[in-house]
Amino acid sequence: MAFPTRTTSAPARRPRAAPLVSALVLALTLTACGEGAGGATAPGEAPDTETGSTVPADPVGTTVPPSASGASSPGRTIPPASTTPPTAPATTQPTAPPAGGKQVRVAVYFLHGERVSPAPRSVTAPATAAGALRALLAGPNGFERGHERTTAIPAGTELRSLAVRDGVATVDLSGRYDDGGGALSMRARLAQVVYTATRFPSVTSVRFALDGKPVRHFGGEGVDLTRPVGRADFEDLTPAVLVESPMIGDTIGSPVRVWGTANTFEAAFGLRIVDAADRTAAQVHGMASSGSGTRGTFDLTVPFRTARGGPGELTATWDSAEDGRLVATAEVPVTLRR
């Protein structure tokens, strides 16, 4: 059986919408690009002032350094890494002595033999840490040199800047600081600066820079300075009993407060005060808070008697763990007051 053939006409074709869609997509794309360049910065990021894009916020507020290859990231320009060490403006101290102001007593650290030894100085507040470092760079005075105090810091070294942030002092010195000297001299001059800076409670360690450039390895011996260094890094240049006070040249009366640190066998040590005729004015035994490889602290009140005032000396001693002999570890010339 044959079926009749149905004839249908094709529906009318609609106009193509592709050009309109393409234009819409292009407009949205351009709009999105515009928001990415000038929109809000994401949390935890800082705007890149060169291009307006965002880069991870630097935790210490310094310029983001270029990559190791020296190439910049695509789409933005990174300025060259600053050669100036990071500073905290709120705690940056001026390197020039301020006019007027209150005089404050500080300590600077020279060398007695091959060990650090404090000496008193007066500096003008409020830039006391910078003042102490300038006084250190000036070297020991005649009285101190006469009692064998020396310095490993080259003459002519200048303090360029000092900034303290989170307990770390960034000390920028002139290039003279690394002139000459062997391994011992290089470590000794570092220890002098570290001890002087860390005498202040706000400073626990030191970073070094020379002529504005951070120092990672110091001197021909390549002393490692890739991290901040503190007093513990120079234990070999610290006397077994370090008398922090009184200091060389001080005038003392009875009783005298004697304080400092010690790293001796079983934490034991002795203190002796003598007059100009070498007569004993006081002799006591003390104990530090720790010893036998761990440096501890001590703080003693020592009464003494002397027939007459005048030159004297405070000596710290300890018993050698090897043979029990008495070892003099600190000699502090003082003036005794009756």
Side-chain angles (χ1 to χ4, degrees), residues 158-169:
E158 297 179 353
L159 176 66
R160 299 181 75 251
S161 68
L162 168 66
V164 180
R165 184 171 186 173
D166 297 330
V168 179

Side-chain angles (χ1 to χ4, degrees), residues 160-185:
R160 299 181 75 251
S161 68
L162 168 66
V164 180
R165 184 171 186 173
D166 297 330
V168 179
T170 299
V171 179
D172 185 5
L173 300 167
S174 62
R176 288 277 296 168
Y177 185 65
D178 69 349
D179 285 357
L184 177 60
S185 174

Side-chain angles (χ1 to χ4, degrees), residues 6 19 39 43 139 141 144 166 198 221 243 292 309 314 316-317:
R6 179 181 296 178
N141 60 31
E144 292 157 352
D166 297 330
T198 56
E221 302 296 327
V243 176
S292 298
L314 167 66
T317 61

Side-chain angles (χ1 to χ4, degrees), residues 170-254:
T170 299
V171 179
D172 185 5
L173 300 167
S174 62
R176 288 277 296 168
Y177 185 65
D178 69 349
D179 285 357
L184 177 60
S185 174
M186 291 298 179
R187 284 181 49 76
R189 69 188 67 175
L190 292 172
Q192 288 183 250
V193 171
V194 167
Y195 264 84
T196 299
T198 56
R199 177 80 176 222
F200 295 90
S202 60
V203 179
T204 57
S205 59
V206 176
R207 286 189 185 275
F208 285 86
L210 293 181
D211 289 333
K213 299 179 181 179
V215 178
R216 298 181 62 82
H217 297 92
F218 184 65
E221 302 296 327
V223 180
D224 184 11
L225 295 179
T226 54
R227 60 173 178 80
V229 289
R231 291 191 172 196
D233 294 292
F234 301 96
E235 179 65 26
D236 59 319
L237 298 175
T238 308
V241 181
L242 174 62
V243 176
E244 297 274 15
S245 181
M247 292 183 274
I248 181 173
D250 280 351
T251 297
I252 62 174
S254 180

Side-chain angles (χ1 to χ4, degrees), residues 2-338:
F3 292 95
T5 303
R6 179 181 296 178
T7 303
T8 59
S9 59
R13 180 176 297 178
R14 295 182 180 180
R16 296 179 63 183
L20 179 59
V21 172
S22 299
L24 179 60
V25 170
L26 178 60
L28 290 173
T29 302
L30 292 174
T31 302
C33 291
E35 290 177 352
T41 301
E45 293 183 329
D48 182 340
T49 56
E50 292 290 323
T51 63
S53 62
T54 57
V55 295
D58 190 305
V60 296
T62 55
T63 304
V64 178
S67 63
S69 63
S72 300
S73 300
R76 65 188 180 100
T77 302
I78 303 177
S82 172
T83 57
T84 303
T87 59
T91 56
T92 300
Q93 296 196 1
T95 56
K102 179 182 178 181
Q103 291 294 299
V104 179
R105 176 180 161 99
V106 298
V108 300
Y109 288 76
F110 298 122
L111 301 173
H112 186 206
E114 297 177 351
R115 303 289 187 270
V116 292
S117 178
R121 290 292 186 273
S122 291
V123 301
T124 304
T128 51
L133 288 173
R134 285 194 303 270
L136 170 67
L137 299 180
N141 60 31
F143 178 80
E144 292 157 352
R145 290 194 300 270
H147 287 84
E148 301 177 339
R149 268 52 175 184
T150 62
T151 181
I153 299 174
T157 300
E158 297 179 353
L159 176 66
R160 299 181 75 251
S161 68
L162 168 66
V164 180
R165 184 171 186 173
D166 297 330
V168 179
T170 299
V171 179
D172 185 5
L173 300 167
S174 62
R176 288 277 296 168
Y177 185 65
D178 69 349
D179 285 357
L184 177 60
S185 174
M186 291 298 179
R187 284 181 49 76
R189 69 188 67 175
L190 292 172
Q192 288 183 250
V193 171
V194 167
Y195 264 84
T196 299
T198 56
R199 177 80 176 222
F200 295 90
S202 60
V203 179
T204 57
S205 59
V206 176
R207 286 189 185 275
F208 285 86
L210 293 181
D211 289 333
K213 299 179 181 179
V215 178
R216 298 181 62 82
H217 297 92
F218 184 65
E221 302 296 327
V223 180
D224 184 11
L225 295 179
T226 54
R227 60 173 178 80
V229 289
R231 291 191 172 196
D233 294 292
F234 301 96
E235 179 65 26
D236 59 319
L237 298 175
T238 308
V241 181
L242 174 62
V243 176
E244 297 274 15
S245 181
M247 292 183 274
I248 181 173
D250 280 351
T251 297
I252 62 174
S254 180
V256 58
R257 180 190 178 196
V258 183
W259 62 273
T261 65
N263 183 4
T264 61
F265 179 61
E266 295 183 343
F269 63 93
L271 296 174
R272 181 175 181 240
I273 299 175
V274 299
D275 62 17
D278 202 32
R279 291 185 293 257
T280 299
Q283 188 161 0
V284 299
H285 295 280
M287 294 286 293
S289 59
S290 58
S292 298
T294 302
R295 183 164 291 272
T297 61
F298 64 86
D299 193 344
L300 304 175
T301 299
V302 181
F304 66 88
R305 296 184 62 181
T306 180
R308 60 181 181 179
E313 187 173 79
L314 167 66
T315 303
T317 61
W318 62 288
D319 295 327
S320 170
E322 296 180 358
D323 53 18
R325 66 185 176 88
L326 196 65
V327 180
T329 183
E331 299 169 347
V332 184
V334 294
T335 297
L336 304 180
R337 185 174 62 236
R338 290 187 61 185

